[in-house]
Amino acid sequence: MRVRRKGAAEIRQAAEAAAIAALKVAAQEVPRPPFDESTAAFFDVDNTVMAGASIFYFARGLAARDFFDSRDLLRFGLAHLTYRLRGQENSDGIQDARETALAFVAGRSVAEIVRYGEEIYDERMAEQIYSGTHALAQQHLDAGQRVWLVTATPVELASVIARRLSLTGALGTVSEVRDGSYTGRLVGGLLHGQAKAEAVAALAEREGLDLSRCWAYSDSINDLPLLSLVGHPVAINPDPDLKAIARERDWPVKDFRTARKAVRIGIPAAAGAGALAGGVAAGMALRRRVVSA
């Protein structure tokens, strides 16, 4: 079954929820030095900040914890392999995986999912971070500019990876939470495609950003609305469609895929407490446990 297309109202709701949640989480962090109030940089996550899709690394980590069986892991693995080899996400597939999973996280606590995400980041995702992309983000921070992740990953988890990479914060998909646990519903919808652009616009309005002076980085043609929104779009490890658009519009193109070395980034020297996960894949695990019980 194909994922239904989101309407304009649903996209706006997802965007507003993402902006509000991002600022709420960022406000809880340790105070930072003053930033340039009018500029910021926005980074996609999957295949831009890290090689591959975070949700599949998270699924592997959950499988190692007996959350679901080898057949599910094989399905996740095949999808991830296709994503890595093609360098191009299937938007319907990504939405279906994430949205379907949400139906099964009901009752699971946010703290538990974040805890597993921290562990799995250290085990499987930290070494997948592109050092070149991380260096670009650090350049923006050094220049006094705020740096935000923008991703379909749940905001609670996206915020963890942002913290671990010493970034400002993250805009992500907002799931409904009641009494500290997921209800299994989204607030609006997935932060994907047009919704990402609208979330950045909502954040810019609240923070007084001049989008003509802002940067955006992504690998995917699905993020064309986001890239087109800012004055400085950059294609990172672009899929074929985005690469063609970038050449046509004379956007910078950077490719860190062939030169990437396995560098563990965002891990404290003394401990292995780590960051984010690919998100609501945990929901799939929940369903498998219930079904097999």
Side-chain angles (χ1 to χ4, degrees):
M1 179 180 69
R2 293 176 64 84
V3 177
R4 66 181 179 86
R5 299 298 183 184
K6 294 180 288 185
E10 187 177 6
I11 289 174
R12 285 195 298 273
Q13 186 181 15
E16 289 289 334
I20 293 169
L23 292 172
K24 180 179 179 181
V25 173
Q28 298 170 355
E29 301 303 316
V30 177
R32 298 174 179 273
F35 281 100
D36 181 339
E37 295 296 328
S38 64
T39 62
F42 299 92
F43 286 78
D44 170 53
V45 173
D46 293 348
N47 218 34
T48 302
V49 169
M50 72 166 57
S54 53
I55 193 170
F56 299 117
Y57 296 122
F58 192 50
R60 288 183 62 191
L62 291 175
R65 291 162 172 77
D66 297 323
F67 268 63
F68 48 82
D69 61 32
S70 58
R71 289 173 298 176
D72 296 308
L73 182 59
L74 177 60
R75 179 165 55 85
F76 291 138
L78 288 174
H80 186 224
L81 179 60
T82 300
Y83 180 62
R84 290 291 299 275
L85 291 177
R86 293 177 58 197
Q88 186 173 18
E89 70 181 31
N90 178 313
S91 59
D92 285 338
I94 293 294
Q95 286 200 188
D96 186 56
R98 295 180 189 273
E99 193 165 76
T100 301
L102 276 167
F104 310 127
V105 299
R108 206 75 170 194
S109 76
V110 174
E112 181 181 24
I113 297 304
V114 172
R115 185 178 75 251
Y116 284 126
E118 290 174 346
E119 296 172 1
I120 294 167
Y121 178 90
D122 285 336
E123 297 166 2
R124 301 180 183 276
M125 287 188 275
E127 65 184 8
Q128 302 298 333
I129 300 294
Y130 287 111
S131 58
T133 306
H134 186 244
L136 288 174
Q138 188 60 50
Q139 288 175 19
H140 285 289
L141 292 172
D142 293 342
Q145 297 157 356
R146 286 167 285 184
V147 178
W148 297 87
L149 300 179
V150 188
T151 175
T153 294
V155 66
E156 297 90 350
L157 304 177
S159 297
V160 180
I161 195 171
R163 288 196 301 271
R164 294 296 295 278
L165 297 179
S166 299
L167 308 182
T168 307
L171 296 102
T173 296
V174 178
S175 301
E176 186 180 76
V177 175
R178 186 173 300 158
D179 297 327
S181 297
Y182 293 107
T183 66
R185 294 184 292 270
L186 291 176
V187 179
L190 290 168
L191 201 71
H192 187 268
Q194 182 63 33
K196 282 188 179 182
E198 295 199 18
V200 167
L203 181 72
E205 184 176 356
R206 284 173 167 78
E207 292 291 278
L209 297 174
D210 180 354
L211 288 172
S212 70
R213 299 184 62 221
C214 291
W215 283 257
Y217 299 83
S218 179
D219 72 293
S220 174
I221 191 65
N222 292 310
D223 286 337
L224 187 59
L226 169 61
L227 293 167
S228 301
L229 183 68
V230 300
H232 303 283
V234 181
I236 300 283
N237 309 325
D239 64 37
D241 291 336
L242 179 58
K243 189 172 185 178
I245 290 290
R247 286 175 171 171
E248 176 184 315
R249 301 186 184 184
D250 199 27
W251 292 348
V253 175
K254 298 181 182 295
D255 198 322
F256 301 122
R257 287 172 291 199
T258 58
R260 188 181 67 84
K261 297 180 180 178
V263 178
R264 295 176 70 81
I265 294 175
I267 300 181
L276 166 63
V280 289
M284 293 182 178
L286 276 177
R287 185 191 192 197
R288 297 306 176 189
R289 297 181 77 179
V290 171
V291 170
S292 60

